[in-house]
Amino acid sequence: MRRLIWIIAVPIVVLLAAMQFRRPDYNLPPSVSEASLDAIHHPDPQIRSMLDRSCNACHSVQARIPWYGHIWPASELLQSDVRRGRAYLDFSNWDHLSPEMSRIRLLNACEAMRTGEMPLWYYRPMHPGAAPKSAEVNVFCGWARALSPGGVRTEEGQ
Amino acid sequence: MANFSVMSAALSGRQRTTGARHALDGLLIHVRVVLNKTIGRSCSRCLQGLAAAILVVLIGASIAGCREGGQNVSNEDEIAPQRLFMFAAIKQRQPSAGIEAMRVNLGRRLYYDQHLSVNGTISCNSCHQLARYGVDPGQAVSKGYNGKPGGRNSPTVYNAGLQFVQFWDGRAATLAAQASGPMMNPVEMGMPSADHVLAYLHSNAAYVREFKAVYPGIEDPVTMDHVTSAIAIFEQGLVTPGRWDAYLAGDTGVLSAREKQGLRVFLDAGCAACHAGAGMGGNSYAQLGAYRDWPDQKSDPGRYAVTQQERDRMTFKVPTLRNVAETGPWFHDGKVTSLNEAVRLMGEYQLGRKFSAEEISSIASFLQALTGDLPQPYIQPQESAGVSQQPLADKHLHRMNGHSAQANSQRGE
């Protein structure tokens, strides 16, 4: 039995050790403050606080990578989530969006939070308190809907 | 082994979950025993916790992986209208009248005029053929006046007025700003300077008369601002509403079941995160290779070349998907010649999804439905009474070329 355990355990440990050489690439370029959602749309502090607590870990270049985010295989999942998260929605580069797309992204974010799709189910246990309260989601959605179809400032994104 | 397979197949989902939990418990016990014997009890508890965390992550990753690939494509119901809120229908422009119509006519004439290139061989229409959905069909990159290839694929000019910026890297904010670029680009139309363009137009009495009629009250209305403005006004009318717009307006019968399947996959996969709005794109920048680094990182840095900001490296304007089935080859470098391959690449590099062959096929079917109707009467070239199609005398041009070498961007589109 002991031999069997060693036969299983040793390759696993060796594999885990070897995979640590595979460094994650979170693709987080330096931020430009005037390009962010905050700088462009000036949401109120309650919304900013909620976004920082619930969203920015994956949806901004200010992603806070935890210690296990540098250890394979956790790093693989985190890298996947951060890169995919920024591809869908990146609060750091809001000037990359036209006013039309800005509004679409905000309404999509509203819907994702309202239906509980976001934050991801496996993110929540690791980050207690990250899930936005329904009152916060309502405030965010109301704010997003109140933006005119062309956004708050029509020159944005040009 | 056969019995094991039969038993496995017979397990219900719940039984499988229980079995997996038992296997996990058993593995944890084994790990604990091994660690106790090798590195001591206290440390083993830490490592056991770490091992458990790793296993949980692995299971999560496997679940996420299952979610990604091989989805079954269902065609059961109509798509709920609220899922379509991010799209907008477009309409054919009403024919303009009066001076606006005259400006459209002038813009159209300039668009088709080959003599706006240095050797009188190419026009806007050479690389953005209005009869071929506004592209240079089959060409990865277009060739300029002297046969040299440009730097990027010629994007469609149709529906460009819906886009928030122009060119692949967004370096022109408006259609008018874009219009002057190719004329003076040394590998496109090759005019050494705006003066050369204006010299040709001034040399043509019919053009001068037309500019004076279209921009009245100005002593010399033949200016680059008016040239680019007239072209832009004409291009604003290059819109292609089609079945997709009828569908968005509520006529759900215009899309086939297959196309609706594709739309459902398109939405579920997250394609609409970028390809949304009235233009189905053209209203944001995105990093090519947002999820996985694009294989070619060196040939073209995208918008980085304009802003020199690291965040813009490999970032391009998201192209419109309107008429996408007719505007290949695809991507900024035109290197992808199959629409299905383009869909596969987008799934893998933008969304982190390995689409099944069925998903790719259904999305491609949906993309076919985005082909609109060309505004045929609007795009027909019209001769202006008295506008000569003779090029500026070669001798005159050669003399002008001799003392002016424009250091334009050679990137082109």
Side-chain angles (χ1 to χ4, degrees), chain A residues 1-2 5 27 80 83-84 88 93 95-96 98 100-101 105 157-158, chain B residues 30 34 37 68 164 269 273 278 283 285 287 291 293 311-312 351-352:
Chain A
M1 186 62 183
R2 182 181 295 178
I5 292 167
N27 185 27
S80 169
R83 292 192 72 142
R84 185 183 284 127
Y88 281 64
N93 291 310
D95 66 335
H96 280 176
S98 68
E100 178 189 40
M101 186 55 92
R105 293 264 171 103
Q158 298 297 315
Chain B
H30 288 312
V34 171
K37 290 187 176 177
E68 286 175 14
F164 81 133
N283 45 17
Y285 295 111
Q287 184 184 28
Y291 181 79
D293 287 347
R311 70 193 181 106
D312 289 325
L351 300 171

PDB file of all heavy atoms in Angstrom, chain A residues 1-2 5 27 80 83-84 88 93 95-96 98 100-101 105 157-158, chain B residues 30 34 37 68 164 269 273 278 283 285 287 291 293 311-312 351-352:
ATOM      1  N   MET A   1       0.837  -1.211   0.000  1.00  0.00           N
ATOM      2  CA  MET A   1       0.000   0.000   0.000  1.00  0.00           C
ATOM      3  C   MET A   1       0.870   1.259   0.000  1.00  0.00           C
ATOM      4  O   MET A   1       0.615   2.212  -0.723  1.00  0.00           O
ATOM      5  CB  MET A   1      -0.908  -0.038   1.231  1.00  0.00           C
ATOM      6  CG  MET A   1      -1.911   1.084   1.280  1.00  0.00           C
ATOM      7  SD  MET A   1      -3.058   1.017  -0.146  1.00  0.00           S
ATOM      8  CE  MET A   1      -4.020   2.474   0.149  1.00  0.00           C
ATOM      9  N   ARG A   2       1.897   1.219   0.868  1.00  0.00           N
ATOM     10  CA  ARG A   2       2.787   2.369   0.951  1.00  0.00           C
ATOM     11  C   ARG A   2       3.470   2.630  -0.386  1.00  0.00           C
ATOM     12  O   ARG A   2       3.607   3.761  -0.816  1.00  0.00           O
ATOM     13  CB  ARG A   2       3.828   2.126   2.047  1.00  0.00           C
ATOM     14  CG  ARG A   2       4.760   3.308   2.223  1.00  0.00           C
ATOM     15  CD  ARG A   2       5.781   3.066   3.281  1.00  0.00           C
ATOM     16  NE  ARG A   2       5.173   2.940   4.590  1.00  0.00           N
ATOM     17  CZ  ARG A   2       5.851   2.687   5.700  1.00  0.00           C
ATOM     18  NH1 ARG A   2       7.149   2.494   5.642  1.00  0.00           N
ATOM     19  NH2 ARG A   2       5.247   2.578   6.852  1.00  0.00           N
ATOM     20  N   ILE A   5       1.123   4.352  -2.664  1.00  0.00           N
ATOM     21  CA  ILE A   5       0.998   5.781  -2.326  1.00  0.00           C
ATOM     22  C   ILE A   5       2.160   6.572  -2.916  1.00  0.00           C
ATOM     23  O   ILE A   5       1.987   7.643  -3.492  1.00  0.00           O
ATOM     24  CB  ILE A   5       0.951   5.947  -0.788  1.00  0.00           C
ATOM     25  CG1 ILE A   5      -0.358   5.354  -0.254  1.00  0.00           C
ATOM     26  CG2 ILE A   5       1.081   7.424  -0.407  1.00  0.00           C
ATOM     27  CD1 ILE A   5      -0.365   5.185   1.240  1.00  0.00           C
ATOM     28  N   ASN A  27      -1.407  39.950 -18.014  1.00  0.00           N
ATOM     29  CA  ASN A  27      -1.613  40.998 -19.024  1.00  0.00           C
ATOM     30  C   ASN A  27      -2.240  42.244 -18.396  1.00  0.00           C
ATOM     31  O   ASN A  27      -3.361  42.637 -18.719  1.00  0.00           O
ATOM     32  CB  ASN A  27      -2.506  40.460 -20.156  1.00  0.00           C
ATOM     33  CG  ASN A  27      -2.661  41.464 -21.286  1.00  0.00           C
ATOM     34  OD1 ASN A  27      -1.797  42.293 -21.503  1.00  0.00           O
ATOM     35  ND2 ASN A  27      -3.782  41.378 -21.999  1.00  0.00           N
ATOM     36  N   SER A  80      -6.951  32.903 -16.371  1.00  0.00           N
ATOM     37  CA  SER A  80      -8.068  32.768 -17.299  1.00  0.00           C
ATOM     38  C   SER A  80      -9.173  33.757 -16.947  1.00  0.00           C
ATOM     39  O   SER A  80      -9.713  34.447 -17.814  1.00  0.00           O
ATOM     40  CB  SER A  80      -8.591  31.327 -17.250  1.00  0.00           C
ATOM     41  OG  SER A  80      -9.812  31.229 -17.931  1.00  0.00           O
ATOM     42  N   ARG A  83      -8.009  37.557 -17.497  1.00  0.00           N
ATOM     43  CA  ARG A  83      -7.908  37.942 -18.917  1.00  0.00           C
ATOM     44  C   ARG A  83      -9.281  37.951 -19.577  1.00  0.00           C
ATOM     45  O   ARG A  83      -9.606  38.847 -20.348  1.00  0.00           O
ATOM     46  CB  ARG A  83      -6.933  37.016 -19.651  1.00  0.00           C
ATOM     47  CG  ARG A  83      -5.493  37.217 -19.186  1.00  0.00           C
ATOM     48  CD  ARG A  83      -4.502  36.526 -20.080  1.00  0.00           C
ATOM     49  NE  ARG A  83      -4.364  37.173 -21.365  1.00  0.00           N
ATOM     50  CZ  ARG A  83      -3.223  37.309 -22.033  1.00  0.00           C
ATOM     51  NH1 ARG A  83      -2.098  36.871 -21.508  1.00  0.00           N
ATOM     52  NH2 ARG A  83      -3.190  37.876 -23.209  1.00  0.00           N
ATOM     53  N   ARG A  84     -10.075  36.948 -19.261  1.00  0.00           N
ATOM     54  CA  ARG A  84     -11.414  36.923 -19.849  1.00  0.00           C
ATOM     55  C   ARG A  84     -12.245  38.085 -19.296  1.00  0.00           C
ATOM     56  O   ARG A  84     -12.997  38.736 -20.013  1.00  0.00           O
ATOM     57  CB  ARG A  84     -12.104  35.595 -19.564  1.00  0.00           C
ATOM     58  CG  ARG A  84     -13.458  35.477 -20.263  1.00  0.00           C
ATOM     59  CD  ARG A  84     -14.179  34.199 -19.917  1.00  0.00           C
ATOM     60  NE  ARG A  84     -13.629  33.062 -20.597  1.00  0.00           N
ATOM     61  CZ  ARG A  84     -13.237  31.939 -20.007  1.00  0.00           C
ATOM     62  NH1 ARG A  84     -13.326  31.816 -18.701  1.00  0.00           N
ATOM     63  NH2 ARG A  84     -12.753  30.937 -20.700  1.00  0.00           N
ATOM     64  N   TYR A  88     -14.141  41.185 -21.516  1.00  0.00           N
ATOM     65  CA  TYR A  88     -15.576  41.483 -21.525  1.00  0.00           C
ATOM     66  C   TYR A  88     -15.847  42.900 -21.006  1.00  0.00           C
ATOM     67  O   TYR A  88     -16.745  43.578 -21.481  1.00  0.00           O
ATOM     68  CB  TYR A  88     -16.335  40.497 -20.631  1.00  0.00           C
ATOM     69  CG  TYR A  88     -16.597  39.148 -21.248  1.00  0.00           C
ATOM     70  CD1 TYR A  88     -15.559  38.295 -21.586  1.00  0.00           C
ATOM     71  CD2 TYR A  88     -17.889  38.713 -21.484  1.00  0.00           C
ATOM     72  CE1 TYR A  88     -15.799  37.048 -22.148  1.00  0.00           C
ATOM     73  CE2 TYR A  88     -18.143  37.477 -22.044  1.00  0.00           C
ATOM     74  CZ  TYR A  88     -17.093  36.650 -22.369  1.00  0.00           C
ATOM     75  OH  TYR A  88     -17.330  35.419 -22.930  1.00  0.00           O
ATOM     76  N   ASN A  93      -9.981  50.971 -18.864  1.00  0.00           N
ATOM     77  CA  ASN A  93      -9.793  51.532 -20.206  1.00  0.00           C
ATOM     78  C   ASN A  93     -11.138  51.930 -20.813  1.00  0.00           C
ATOM     79  O   ASN A  93     -11.489  51.521 -21.920  1.00  0.00           O
ATOM     80  CB  ASN A  93      -9.086  50.517 -21.102  1.00  0.00           C
ATOM     81  CG  ASN A  93      -7.648  50.312 -20.671  1.00  0.00           C
ATOM     82  OD1 ASN A  93      -6.904  51.277 -20.493  1.00  0.00           O
ATOM     83  ND2 ASN A  93      -7.258  49.068 -20.492  1.00  0.00           N
ATOM     84  N   ASP A  95     -12.091  54.646 -21.952  1.00  0.00           N
ATOM     85  CA  ASP A  95     -12.008  55.502 -23.145  1.00  0.00           C
ATOM     86  C   ASP A  95     -11.846  54.674 -24.423  1.00  0.00           C
ATOM     87  O   ASP A  95     -11.823  55.234 -25.513  1.00  0.00           O
ATOM     88  CB  ASP A  95     -10.855  56.499 -23.022  1.00  0.00           C
ATOM     89  CG  ASP A  95      -9.503  55.818 -23.025  1.00  0.00           C
ATOM     90  OD1 ASP A  95      -9.427  54.625 -22.662  1.00  0.00           O
ATOM     91  OD2 ASP A  95      -8.504  56.470 -23.389  1.00  0.00           O
ATOM     92  N   HIS A  96     -11.750  53.363 -24.286  1.00  0.00           N
ATOM     93  CA  HIS A  96     -11.727  52.499 -25.465  1.00  0.00           C
ATOM     94  C   HIS A  96     -13.134  52.247 -26.007  1.00  0.00           C
ATOM     95  O   HIS A  96     -13.288  51.539 -27.004  1.00  0.00           O
ATOM     96  CB  HIS A  96     -11.072  51.151 -25.127  1.00  0.00           C
ATOM     97  CG  HIS A  96      -9.577  51.219 -25.107  1.00  0.00           C
ATOM     98  ND1 HIS A  96      -8.783  50.161 -24.756  1.00  0.00           N
ATOM     99  CD2 HIS A  96      -8.720  52.223 -25.412  1.00  0.00           C
ATOM    100  CE1 HIS A  96      -7.507  50.509 -24.854  1.00  0.00           C
ATOM    101  NE2 HIS A  96      -7.448  51.750 -25.233  1.00  0.00           N
ATOM    102  N   SER A  98     -17.004  53.628 -27.277  1.00  0.00           N
ATOM    103  CA  SER A  98     -17.847  54.733 -27.728  1.00  0.00           C
ATOM    104  C   SER A  98     -18.929  54.956 -26.668  1.00  0.00           C
ATOM    105  O   SER A  98     -19.165  54.074 -25.820  1.00  0.00           O
ATOM    106  CB  SER A  98     -18.506  54.369 -29.054  1.00  0.00           C
ATOM    107  OG  SER A  98     -19.443  53.328 -28.841  1.00  0.00           O
ATOM    108  N   GLU A 100     -22.012  54.725 -27.100  1.00  0.00           N
ATOM    109  CA  GLU A 100     -22.987  53.638 -27.297  1.00  0.00           C
ATOM    110  C   GLU A 100     -22.530  52.368 -26.581  1.00  0.00           C
ATOM    111  O   GLU A 100     -23.288  51.737 -25.851  1.00  0.00           O
ATOM    112  CB  GLU A 100     -23.139  53.364 -28.795  1.00  0.00           C
ATOM    113  CG  GLU A 100     -24.094  52.218 -29.121  1.00  0.00           C
ATOM    114  CD  GLU A 100     -24.045  51.827 -30.603  1.00  0.00           C
ATOM    115  OE1 GLU A 100     -22.925  51.804 -31.177  1.00  0.00           O
ATOM    116  OE2 GLU A 100     -25.096  51.534 -31.183  1.00  0.00           O
ATOM    117  N   MET A 101     -21.267  52.013 -26.775  1.00  0.00           N
ATOM    118  CA  MET A 101     -20.769  50.782 -26.163  1.00  0.00           C
ATOM    119  C   MET A 101     -20.618  50.929 -24.649  1.00  0.00           C
ATOM    120  O   MET A 101     -20.793  49.970 -23.903  1.00  0.00           O
ATOM    121  CB  MET A 101     -19.442  50.386 -26.807  1.00  0.00           C
ATOM    122  CG  MET A 101     -18.910  49.043 -26.332  1.00  0.00           C
ATOM    123  SD  MET A 101     -20.087  47.687 -26.534  1.00  0.00           S
ATOM    124  CE  MET A 101     -19.623  47.084 -28.135  1.00  0.00           C
ATOM    125  N   ARG A 105     -22.160  48.220 -22.097  1.00  0.00           N
ATOM    126  CA  ARG A 105     -21.365  47.477 -21.112  1.00  0.00           C
ATOM    127  C   ARG A 105     -21.909  47.672 -19.693  1.00  0.00           C
ATOM    128  O   ARG A 105     -21.948  46.737 -18.895  1.00  0.00           O
ATOM    129  CB  ARG A 105     -19.904  47.934 -21.174  1.00  0.00           C
ATOM    130  CG  ARG A 105     -19.190  47.561 -22.467  1.00  0.00           C
ATOM    131  CD  ARG A 105     -18.401  46.278 -22.339  1.00  0.00           C
ATOM    132  NE  ARG A 105     -17.907  45.819 -23.620  1.00  0.00           N
ATOM    133  CZ  ARG A 105     -16.650  45.944 -24.037  1.00  0.00           C
ATOM    134  NH1 ARG A 105     -15.764  46.525 -23.260  1.00  0.00           N
ATOM    135  NH2 ARG A 105     -16.279  45.481 -25.217  1.00  0.00           N
ATOM    136  N   GLY A 157     -14.540  58.602 -25.788  1.00  0.00           N
ATOM    137  CA  GLY A 157     -14.276  57.516 -26.706  1.00  0.00           C
ATOM    138  C   GLY A 157     -13.811  57.972 -28.071  1.00  0.00           C
ATOM    139  O   GLY A 157     -13.498  57.147 -28.900  1.00  0.00           O
ATOM    140  N   GLN A 158     -13.738  59.256 -28.297  1.00  0.00           N
ATOM    141  CA  GLN A 158     -13.306  59.705 -29.631  1.00  0.00           C
ATOM    142  C   GLN A 158     -11.804  59.667 -29.717  1.00  0.00           C
ATOM    143  O   GLN A 158     -11.119  59.789 -28.754  1.00  0.00           O
ATOM    144  CB  GLN A 158     -13.808  61.124 -29.893  1.00  0.00           C
ATOM    145  CG  GLN A 158     -15.312  61.211 -29.900  1.00  0.00           C
ATOM    146  CD  GLN A 158     -15.967  60.395 -31.006  1.00  0.00           C
ATOM    147  OE1 GLN A 158     -15.526  60.443 -32.135  1.00  0.00           O
ATOM    148  NE2 GLN A 158     -16.978  59.641 -30.696  1.00  0.00           N
TER     149      GLN A 158
ATOM    150  N   HIS B  30      -4.865   9.666   1.925  1.00  0.00           N
ATOM    151  CA  HIS B  30      -3.572   9.147   1.481  1.00  0.00           C
ATOM    152  C   HIS B  30      -2.494  10.208   1.523  1.00  0.00           C
ATOM    153  O   HIS B  30      -1.392   9.975   1.991  1.00  0.00           O
ATOM    154  CB  HIS B  30      -3.683   8.605   0.049  1.00  0.00           C
ATOM    155  CG  HIS B  30      -4.450   7.319  -0.033  1.00  0.00           C
ATOM    156  ND1 HIS B  30      -4.202   6.257   0.811  1.00  0.00           N
ATOM    157  CD2 HIS B  30      -5.452   6.930  -0.852  1.00  0.00           C
ATOM    158  CE1 HIS B  30      -5.034   5.255   0.513  1.00  0.00           C
ATOM    159  NE2 HIS B  30      -5.810   5.655  -0.494  1.00  0.00           N
ATOM    160  N   VAL B  34       0.927  10.099   3.829  1.00  0.00           N
ATOM    161  CA  VAL B  34       2.263  10.226   3.248  1.00  0.00           C
ATOM    162  C   VAL B  34       2.999  11.405   3.863  1.00  0.00           C
ATOM    163  O   VAL B  34       4.166  11.309   4.256  1.00  0.00           O
ATOM    164  CB  VAL B  34       2.157  10.410   1.721  1.00  0.00           C
ATOM    165  CG1 VAL B  34       3.514  10.774   1.135  1.00  0.00           C
ATOM    166  CG2 VAL B  34       1.646   9.137   1.085  1.00  0.00           C
ATOM    167  N   LYS B  37       4.269  10.897   7.410  1.00  0.00           N
ATOM    168  CA  LYS B  37       5.458  10.068   7.513  1.00  0.00           C
ATOM    169  C   LYS B  37       6.695  10.772   6.982  1.00  0.00           C
ATOM    170  O   LYS B  37       7.806  10.421   7.357  1.00  0.00           O
ATOM    171  CB  LYS B  37       5.239   8.758   6.751  1.00  0.00           C
ATOM    172  CG  LYS B  37       4.219   7.865   7.449  1.00  0.00           C
ATOM    173  CD  LYS B  37       4.148   6.522   6.790  1.00  0.00           C
ATOM    174  CE  LYS B  37       3.193   5.620   7.580  1.00  0.00           C
ATOM    175  NZ  LYS B  37       3.043   4.323   6.948  1.00  0.00           N
ATOM    176  N   GLU B  68     -16.917  25.423 -21.305  1.00  0.00           N
ATOM    177  CA  GLU B  68     -16.437  26.132 -22.485  1.00  0.00           C
ATOM    178  C   GLU B  68     -16.738  25.419 -23.784  1.00  0.00           C
ATOM    179  O   GLU B  68     -17.274  25.990 -24.706  1.00  0.00           O
ATOM    180  CB  GLU B  68     -14.922  26.347 -22.391  1.00  0.00           C
ATOM    181  CG  GLU B  68     -14.561  27.405 -21.392  1.00  0.00           C
ATOM    182  CD  GLU B  68     -13.068  27.510 -21.242  1.00  0.00           C
ATOM    183  OE1 GLU B  68     -12.351  26.959 -22.086  1.00  0.00           O
ATOM    184  OE2 GLU B  68     -12.631  28.121 -20.271  1.00  0.00           O
ATOM    185  N   PHE B 164     -17.226  54.773 -34.420  1.00  0.00           N
ATOM    186  CA  PHE B 164     -16.868  55.917 -33.561  1.00  0.00           C
ATOM    187  C   PHE B 164     -15.543  56.548 -33.938  1.00  0.00           C
ATOM    188  O   PHE B 164     -15.284  57.709 -33.579  1.00  0.00           O
ATOM    189  CB  PHE B 164     -16.928  55.541 -32.077  1.00  0.00           C
ATOM    190  CG  PHE B 164     -15.739  54.815 -31.496  1.00  0.00           C
ATOM    191  CD1 PHE B 164     -15.193  55.225 -30.280  1.00  0.00           C
ATOM    192  CD2 PHE B 164     -15.197  53.715 -32.112  1.00  0.00           C
ATOM    193  CE1 PHE B 164     -14.129  54.557 -29.712  1.00  0.00           C
ATOM    194  CE2 PHE B 164     -14.121  53.033 -31.549  1.00  0.00           C
ATOM    195  CZ  PHE B 164     -13.594  53.471 -30.355  1.00  0.00           C
ATOM    196  N   ALA B 269     -21.890  32.901 -25.972  1.00  0.00           N
ATOM    197  CA  ALA B 269     -20.430  32.883 -25.919  1.00  0.00           C
ATOM    198  C   ALA B 269     -19.848  34.233 -25.527  1.00  0.00           C
ATOM    199  O   ALA B 269     -18.699  34.309 -25.100  1.00  0.00           O
ATOM    200  CB  ALA B 269     -19.872  32.463 -27.286  1.00  0.00           C
ATOM    201  N   ALA B 273     -20.152  41.109 -26.457  1.00  0.00           N
ATOM    202  CA  ALA B 273     -19.449  42.034 -25.559  1.00  0.00           C
ATOM    203  C   ALA B 273     -18.746  43.108 -26.384  1.00  0.00           C
ATOM    204  O   ALA B 273     -18.561  44.235 -25.928  1.00  0.00           O
ATOM    205  CB  ALA B 273     -18.440  41.275 -24.694  1.00  0.00           C
ATOM    206  N   ALA B 278     -25.431  49.462 -33.141  1.00  0.00           N
ATOM    207  CA  ALA B 278     -26.016  49.506 -34.475  1.00  0.00           C
ATOM    208  C   ALA B 278     -25.088  48.889 -35.517  1.00  0.00           C
ATOM    209  O   ALA B 278     -25.535  48.285 -36.479  1.00  0.00           O
ATOM    210  CB  ALA B 278     -26.333  50.949 -34.845  1.00  0.00           C
ATOM    211  N   ASN B 283     -17.492  50.269 -32.527  1.00  0.00           N
ATOM    212  CA  ASN B 283     -17.764  51.248 -31.482  1.00  0.00           C
ATOM    213  C   ASN B 283     -16.926  51.027 -30.221  1.00  0.00           C
ATOM    214  O   ASN B 283     -17.284  51.478 -29.143  1.00  0.00           O
ATOM    215  CB  ASN B 283     -19.260  51.283 -31.145  1.00  0.00           C
ATOM    216  CG  ASN B 283     -19.831  49.896 -31.001  1.00  0.00           C
ATOM    217  OD1 ASN B 283     -19.070  48.938 -30.833  1.00  0.00           O
ATOM    218  ND2 ASN B 283     -21.140  49.767 -31.056  1.00  0.00           N
ATOM    219  N   TYR B 285     -12.530  49.824 -28.968  1.00  0.00           N
ATOM    220  CA  TYR B 285     -11.238  49.197 -29.245  1.00  0.00           C
ATOM    221  C   TYR B 285     -11.161  47.920 -28.420  1.00  0.00           C
ATOM    222  O   TYR B 285     -11.737  47.831 -27.327  1.00  0.00           O
ATOM    223  CB  TYR B 285     -10.082  50.095 -28.812  1.00  0.00           C
ATOM    224  CG  TYR B 285      -9.954  51.392 -29.554  1.00  0.00           C
ATOM    225  CD1 TYR B 285     -10.226  52.602 -28.917  1.00  0.00           C
ATOM    226  CD2 TYR B 285      -9.535  51.430 -30.877  1.00  0.00           C
ATOM    227  CE1 TYR B 285     -10.093  53.812 -29.580  1.00  0.00           C
ATOM    228  CE2 TYR B 285      -9.404  52.640 -31.552  1.00  0.00           C
ATOM    229  CZ  TYR B 285      -9.678  53.825 -30.897  1.00  0.00           C
ATOM    230  OH  TYR B 285      -9.549  55.017 -31.561  1.00  0.00           O
ATOM    231  N   GLN B 287      -8.211  44.622 -27.473  1.00  0.00           N
ATOM    232  CA  GLN B 287      -6.893  44.033 -27.683  1.00  0.00           C
ATOM    233  C   GLN B 287      -7.058  42.723 -28.434  1.00  0.00           C
ATOM    234  O   GLN B 287      -7.832  41.850 -28.010  1.00  0.00           O
ATOM    235  CB  GLN B 287      -6.201  43.779 -26.347  1.00  0.00           C
ATOM    236  CG  GLN B 287      -4.787  43.256 -26.511  1.00  0.00           C
ATOM    237  CD  GLN B 287      -4.138  42.903 -25.189  1.00  0.00           C
ATOM    238  OE1 GLN B 287      -4.816  42.550 -24.225  1.00  0.00           O
ATOM    239  NE2 GLN B 287      -2.836  43.006 -25.136  1.00  0.00           N
ATOM    240  N   TYR B 291      -7.627  37.277 -24.495  1.00  0.00           N
ATOM    241  CA  TYR B 291      -7.599  36.110 -23.613  1.00  0.00           C
ATOM    242  C   TYR B 291      -6.284  35.342 -23.745  1.00  0.00           C
ATOM    243  O   TYR B 291      -5.678  34.950 -22.762  1.00  0.00           O
ATOM    244  CB  TYR B 291      -8.770  35.177 -23.935  1.00  0.00           C
ATOM    245  CG  TYR B 291      -8.782  33.957 -23.029  1.00  0.00           C
ATOM    246  CD1 TYR B 291      -9.275  34.039 -21.735  1.00  0.00           C
ATOM    247  CD2 TYR B 291      -8.261  32.743 -23.467  1.00  0.00           C
ATOM    248  CE1 TYR B 291      -9.254  32.949 -20.897  1.00  0.00           C
ATOM    249  CE2 TYR B 291      -8.239  31.642 -22.634  1.00  0.00           C
ATOM    250  CZ  TYR B 291      -8.743  31.753 -21.349  1.00  0.00           C
ATOM    251  OH  TYR B 291      -8.714  30.666 -20.520  1.00  0.00           O
ATOM    252  N   ASP B 293      -2.523  35.450 -25.933  1.00  0.00           N
ATOM    253  CA  ASP B 293      -1.708  36.318 -26.799  1.00  0.00           C
ATOM    254  C   ASP B 293      -1.827  35.904 -28.262  1.00  0.00           C
ATOM    255  O   ASP B 293      -1.655  34.726 -28.603  1.00  0.00           O
ATOM    256  CB  ASP B 293      -0.240  36.261 -26.367  1.00  0.00           C
ATOM    257  CG  ASP B 293      -0.010  37.000 -25.057  1.00  0.00           C
ATOM    258  OD1 ASP B 293      -0.919  37.742 -24.634  1.00  0.00           O
ATOM    259  OD2 ASP B 293       1.061  36.814 -24.459  1.00  0.00           O
ATOM    260  N   ARG B 311      -0.892  50.168 -22.934  1.00  0.00           N
ATOM    261  CA  ARG B 311      -2.232  49.567 -22.864  1.00  0.00           C
ATOM    262  C   ARG B 311      -2.866  49.431 -24.246  1.00  0.00           C
ATOM    263  O   ARG B 311      -3.864  48.735 -24.405  1.00  0.00           O
ATOM    264  CB  ARG B 311      -3.145  50.391 -21.941  1.00  0.00           C
ATOM    265  CG  ARG B 311      -3.521  51.731 -22.522  1.00  0.00           C
ATOM    266  CD  ARG B 311      -4.151  52.639 -21.495  1.00  0.00           C
ATOM    267  NE  ARG B 311      -4.519  53.914 -22.089  1.00  0.00           N
ATOM    268  CZ  ARG B 311      -5.758  54.283 -22.370  1.00  0.00           C
ATOM    269  NH1 ARG B 311      -6.767  53.504 -22.064  1.00  0.00           N
ATOM    270  NH2 ARG B 311      -5.996  55.449 -22.906  1.00  0.00           N
ATOM    271  N   ASP B 312      -2.324  50.129 -25.242  1.00  0.00           N
ATOM    272  CA  ASP B 312      -2.878  50.063 -26.589  1.00  0.00           C
ATOM    273  C   ASP B 312      -2.126  49.097 -27.497  1.00  0.00           C
ATOM    274  O   ASP B 312      -2.447  49.002 -28.686  1.00  0.00           O
ATOM    275  CB  ASP B 312      -2.881  51.455 -27.230  1.00  0.00           C
ATOM    276  CG  ASP B 312      -3.913  52.368 -26.595  1.00  0.00           C
ATOM    277  OD1 ASP B 312      -4.983  51.866 -26.220  1.00  0.00           O
ATOM    278  OD2 ASP B 312      -3.640  53.573 -26.457  1.00  0.00           O
ATOM    279  N   LEU B 351     -12.194  35.108 -26.386  1.00  0.00           N
ATOM    280  CA  LEU B 351     -13.166  34.687 -25.385  1.00  0.00           C
ATOM    281  C   LEU B 351     -12.691  33.530 -24.521  1.00  0.00           C
ATOM    282  O   LEU B 351     -13.340  33.197 -23.530  1.00  0.00           O
ATOM    283  CB  LEU B 351     -14.478  34.276 -26.083  1.00  0.00           C
ATOM    284  CG  LEU B 351     -15.148  35.372 -26.914  1.00  0.00           C
ATOM    285  CD1 LEU B 351     -16.292  34.801 -27.736  1.00  0.00           C
ATOM    286  CD2 LEU B 351     -15.655  36.479 -26.007  1.00  0.00           C
ATOM    287  N   GLY B 352     -11.592  32.893 -24.887  1.00  0.00           N
ATOM    288  CA  GLY B 352     -11.137  31.745 -24.118  1.00  0.00           C
ATOM    289  C   GLY B 352     -12.062  30.556 -24.272  1.00  0.00           C
ATOM    290  O   GLY B 352     -12.267  29.795 -23.338  1.00  0.00           O
TER     291      GLY B 352
END
